[in-house]
Amino acid sequence: MLRLLQIEFIKLWNNNASKVLIISYFVLILCMALLAAIKFDIGPIQFHVAEQGIFNFPYIWHLNTWIASGLKLFFAIVIVSMMANEYSNKTLKQNLIDGLSKKEFIASKFLTVFAFSVISTLFVFAVSLILGLFYSDFTEVSIIFSDLEYLLAYFIKLLGFFSFCLFLGILVKRSAFALGFLIIWFAIENLGIRFLVWWVAGKEASASVMKFLPLESMSNLIKEPASRFKAVQSMVEQVGEQFNKDYTVHFYEILIVGCWTAIFIYLSYALLKKRDL
Amino acid sequence: METILTVNHLTKKYGYLTAVKDLSFSIEKGNVYGILGPNGSGKSTTLGIVLNVINRTAGDFSWFGGSISTHDALKKVGAIIERPNFYPYMTAIQNLKLVCKIKEVPQDKIEEKLEMVGLLERKNSKFSTYSLGMKQRLAIASALLNDPEILILDEPTNGLDPQGIHQIREIIKKIASEGTTILLASHLLDEVEKVCSHVIILRKGEKLYSGPVGEMLTTYGFFELKAIDGPALVTYLGNHPSFGPIKQENGLITAILKEEMTASSLNQDLFNNGIVLSHLVKRKESLEEQFLSLTNHKD
């Protein structure tokens, strides 16, 4: 297993483009901490983001995982190209001839993606913990470590999304086209399937079908946190509206994304096995 | 004798096209094999199948007597097929380190192999800056990293300039002289003739011949003759039971033997019959002539 990771590490780390993108990705996660520095000081209006309670435990877990998961699109470039480049450089063929089995090839890619997801989750955990300890109003251990399921959801979400990228890389074989396909797939889910089912079977049916689609199920794992924020809620209440939204991470949602991950990895393997190189 | 590769009734179809048809052969340790055939005869497809990159339609093959899986067997094989494929953004050293990881062999032979193919001074240059000849030599270095039981080369001199071709041939000859089993696919006959002890001849995916180079055609060779009295020579040869057809071209008479005969005994006979030769050469058919006569026969 370590050997497979090392193989992939050599390929990625010696590629300057990948190296820069990987480093920038993790730097961007660190940059979330800069949110705390946002301060408006215009005469009578004083506004300091960090003091608005957005960094309160356990809300911070939700907020930060949600923000950080937006960055995954950026990392998709690395994942897709690490797969598609093996085709365009024909190194996949050479790897197999040198004695890597097709199973090991897929395993090395999946392990890499797994490792990146773990590291990214740890990064988000560390950044959030430090931000929280600085700015949170509550610092009791029991509160700090509540709602940690958002981190699990974040990890599952990354793993699922990156597996999808790997699959697209194998399917399309060219990085630019694979990224294009990713965008098209997003449109198919959100415009095509959503409204097709809506039109055929009504709004409820559409909502329940959407839950099972790959990209939508991934984005469902962590719901948008803004409306949960107290300041926003009180503002909405003043207008006379009320939010009744379920923000929790459900087990079945994790299961759906887990299934997609397994399907994408299996399909990648099946495709590789079937193809003549 | 130890068998390295056995191929049984291998078939590969691309839709309607049959690229390899019911092909069987085996590779024994210590020999140098050539797979010969015109372009599109199924050489690369056959190698692709045994190297795990092309799926077979029917038949099977086994490495080292079938005791280990194909991908483990490939760790004991060195192979170069068609163009050299490496990561363009990595240096020679980095690429070879990666190959060592894949093949699960120590990295201490990298310098030695780079030295052997004459790339040691360029070891820290990126692969993308290499010329085609250098790329091909790096591929050979990479294939030799594990001191393979068998080296498989598919058209190793394709697209190289004469100097590059010469360098690659010297390297192959050197490896062959060290006793490594080699399987060389090529459509260049002189290349195969120079290094191979055994040949497998393919045409349109079918095997026409496999065995030692010398036994490809059972012939006794032929004489090239010139005499002052040409017509008398032709008449004599035409009446002689040991000769087949007689050809005449620009005054050079070619007589194909039907049985064994030495040049000196022919010379003696002719002299005794009052025919004086000005030119006498006994030759065997070259591999090219044998190959053409084999592939044309079956048309």
Side-chain angles (χ1 to χ4, degrees):
Chain A
M1 203 168 103
L2 193 63
R3 166 178 159 254
L4 295 179
L5 267 176
Q6 282 171 334
I7 288 174
E8 203 49 48
F9 181 78
I10 297 175
K11 293 179 192 172
L12 274 178
W13 204 246
N14 289 314
N15 186 347
N16 284 333
S18 306
K19 190 153 66 177
V20 168
L21 285 173
I22 292 169
I23 294 171
S24 333
Y25 173 72
F26 288 107
V27 168
L28 278 173
I29 292 182
L30 288 179
C31 285
M32 278 196 311
L34 292 179
L35 271 178
I38 299 176
K39 256 186 211 175
F40 298 106
D41 200 352
I42 321 162
I45 312 158
Q46 285 206 346
F47 182 80
H48 187 188
V49 171
E51 277 155 21
Q52 300 303 306
I54 64 163
F55 294 141
N56 279 345
F57 287 117
Y59 176 68
I60 189 174
W61 299 127
H62 187 178
L63 179 73
N64 279 5
T65 51
W66 186 75
I67 295 174
S69 62
L71 296 174
K72 72 182 189 301
L73 267 175
F74 179 74
F75 207 68
I77 302 170
V78 176
I79 306 287
V80 163
S81 64
M82 89 181 190
M83 199 52 133
N85 282 349
E86 300 272 8
Y87 271 103
S88 43
N89 295 333
K90 290 203 173 170
T91 41
L92 167 57
K93 195 170 171 178
Q94 195 63 45
N95 283 178
L96 296 181
I97 291 170
D98 285 338
L100 204 66
S101 72
K102 290 181 175 179
K103 210 178 246 167
E104 281 176 328
F105 181 80
I106 296 288
S108 84
K109 298 288 179 195
F110 181 70
L111 281 172
T112 309
V113 159
F114 190 89
F116 276 127
S117 305
V118 169
I119 297 170
S120 178
T121 309
L122 290 177
F123 250 71
V124 171
F125 174 75
V127 170
S128 308
L129 189 68
I130 292 165
L131 270 183
L133 288 176
F134 267 108
Y135 296 107
S136 175
D137 299 332
F138 327 102
T139 46
E140 293 83 4
V141 173
S142 63
I143 294 183
I144 290 177
F145 293 108
S146 58
D147 280 5
L148 281 185
E149 68 267 22
Y150 284 107
L151 285 169
L152 174 69
Y154 177 72
F155 170 73
I156 296 290
K157 184 172 174 166
L158 284 192
L159 193 62
F161 183 72
F162 293 158
S163 303
F164 188 37
C165 292
L166 282 185
F167 170 67
L168 288 183
I170 282 211
L171 182 72
V172 184
K173 301 187 208 170
R174 285 189 186 81
S175 15
F177 287 112
L179 286 171
F181 192 90
L182 184 67
I183 296 164
I184 291 173
W185 182 253
F186 181 76
I188 290 176
E189 269 190 29
N190 275 288
L191 300 171
I193 302 180
R194 185 191 294 272
F195 291 112
L196 190 72
V197 181
W198 196 324
W199 183 55
V200 173
K203 191 181 171 185
E204 262 107 72
S206 165
S208 50
V209 168
M210 288 304 286
K211 270 195 296 211
F212 293 98
L213 300 180
L215 285 179
E216 185 67 16
S217 66
M218 286 168 206
S219 87
N220 267 342
L221 272 177
I222 303 174
K223 284 115 198 149
E224 56 79 29
S227 55
R228 195 185 173 195
F229 184 42
K230 291 231 170 52
V232 175
Q233 276 189 341
S234 57
M235 222 168 359
V236 171
E237 268 161 33
Q238 277 170 8
V239 197
E241 286 283 335
Q242 204 143 37
F243 274 124
N244 279 318
K245 205 165 166 182
D246 180 10
Y247 296 98
T248 47
V249 179
H250 293 287
F251 176 70
Y252 76 88
E253 289 168 340
I254 287 184
L255 192 70
I256 292 171
V257 178
C259 284
W260 278 116
T261 309
I263 289 170
F264 287 136
I265 295 302
Y266 176 75
L267 282 181
S268 305
Y269 175 59
L271 207 59
L272 187 63
K273 207 171 159 185
K274 199 174 142 265
R275 268 193 194 146
D276 291 327
L277 295 163
Chain B
M1 200 164 219
E2 206 180 319
T3 306
I4 290 186
L5 171 68
T6 317
V7 171
N8 283 319
H9 304 289
L10 203 65
T11 299
K12 172 67 188 178
K13 287 183 181 160
Y14 291 109
Y16 291 110
L17 180 84
T18 306
V20 177
K21 199 169 178 183
D22 199 29
L23 181 64
S24 304
F25 63 88
S26 64
I27 304 287
E28 307 289 339
K29 195 179 168 79
N31 293 331
V32 177
Y33 289 84
I35 299 187
L36 272 177
N39 290 329
S41 57
K43 302 184 299 282
S44 297
T45 309
T46 308
L47 294 182
I49 293 171
V50 299
L51 292 172
N52 203 18
V53 290
I54 296 176
N55 297 311
R56 58 188 188 256
T57 310
D60 57 61
F61 62 91
S62 60
W63 285 99
F64 305 106
S67 51
I68 48 176
S69 68
T70 304
H71 75 271
D72 277 328
L74 290 181
K75 288 177 186 152
K76 299 206 259 171
V77 173
I80 301 162
I81 60 178
E82 291 154 3
R83 304 239 138 186
N85 303 317
F86 290 96
Y87 295 87
Y89 50 83
M90 279 157 55
T91 65
I93 290 266
Q94 288 167 338
N95 269 301
L96 294 188
K97 277 185 181 164
L98 182 66
V99 174
C100 285
K101 270 271 171 275
I102 292 177
K103 286 189 178 289
E104 296 181 277
V105 291
Q107 304 184 346
D108 46 16
K109 289 217 169 117
I110 292 179
E111 302 252 329
E112 175 197 327
K113 302 298 176 191
L114 281 175
E115 168 93 74
M116 181 180 177
V117 297
L119 283 175
L120 201 54
E121 306 93 79
R122 293 291 302 273
K123 65 177 181 178
N124 288 319
S125 307
K126 285 191 173 154
F127 177 68
S128 54
T129 65
Y130 278 21
S131 71
L132 183 60
M134 294 164 79
K135 288 177 176 176
Q136 196 64 272
R137 279 185 281 148
L138 180 65
I140 293 182
S142 153
L144 292 173
L145 276 176
N146 53 344
D147 291 321
E149 303 257 345
I150 177 173
L151 183 64
I152 296 180
L153 302 156
D154 186 5
E155 310 277 5
T157 57
N158 223 0
L160 297 182
D161 57 14
Q163 209 181 0
I165 292 176
H166 180 71
Q167 284 171 328
I168 299 285
R169 279 197 194 145
E170 288 304 309
I171 294 170
I172 294 174
K173 273 188 211 161
K174 193 171 159 200
I175 299 162
S177 69
E178 286 164 4
T180 308
T181 312
I182 295 180
L183 179 58
L184 173 69
S186 183
H187 61 267
L188 301 173
L189 294 147
D190 55 338
E191 194 163 285
V192 172
E193 192 170 24
K194 276 176 191 151
V195 289
C196 297
S197 57
H198 290 65
V199 283
I200 296 158
I201 295 182
L202 297 181
R203 199 184 54 125
K204 292 180 181 167
E206 281 182 276
K207 183 174 79 178
L208 296 183
Y209 171 81
S210 80
V213 175
E215 295 166 19
M216 213 162 103
L217 288 179
T218 40
T219 61
Y220 301 97
F222 58 91
F223 284 112
E224 282 177 358
L225 305 162
K226 267 185 199 167
I228 298 156
D229 189 1
L233 176 61
V234 175
T235 325
Y236 175 81
L237 293 172
N239 294 330
H240 199 291
S242 302
F243 291 101
I246 314 289
K247 278 186 284 181
Q248 237 177 320
E249 222 174 277
N250 302 330
L252 186 72
I253 297 158
T254 309
I256 293 165
L257 276 169
K258 287 200 290 192
E259 56 187 55
E260 197 56 51
M261 182 190 280
T262 62
S264 52
S265 68
L266 177 69
N267 199 5
Q268 185 73 57
D269 283 352
L270 288 172
F271 193 74
N272 292 344
N273 285 285
I275 302 168
V276 183
L277 292 172
S278 58
H279 176 98
L280 167 64
V281 177
K282 189 185 176 189
R283 281 182 53 200
K284 282 263 187 189
E285 283 89 347
S286 72
L287 189 58
E288 181 171 326
E289 284 156 331
Q290 294 184 52
F291 174 72
L292 288 175
S293 94
L294 248 183
T295 44
N296 288 338
H297 266 309
K298 304 281 175 93
D299 263 327

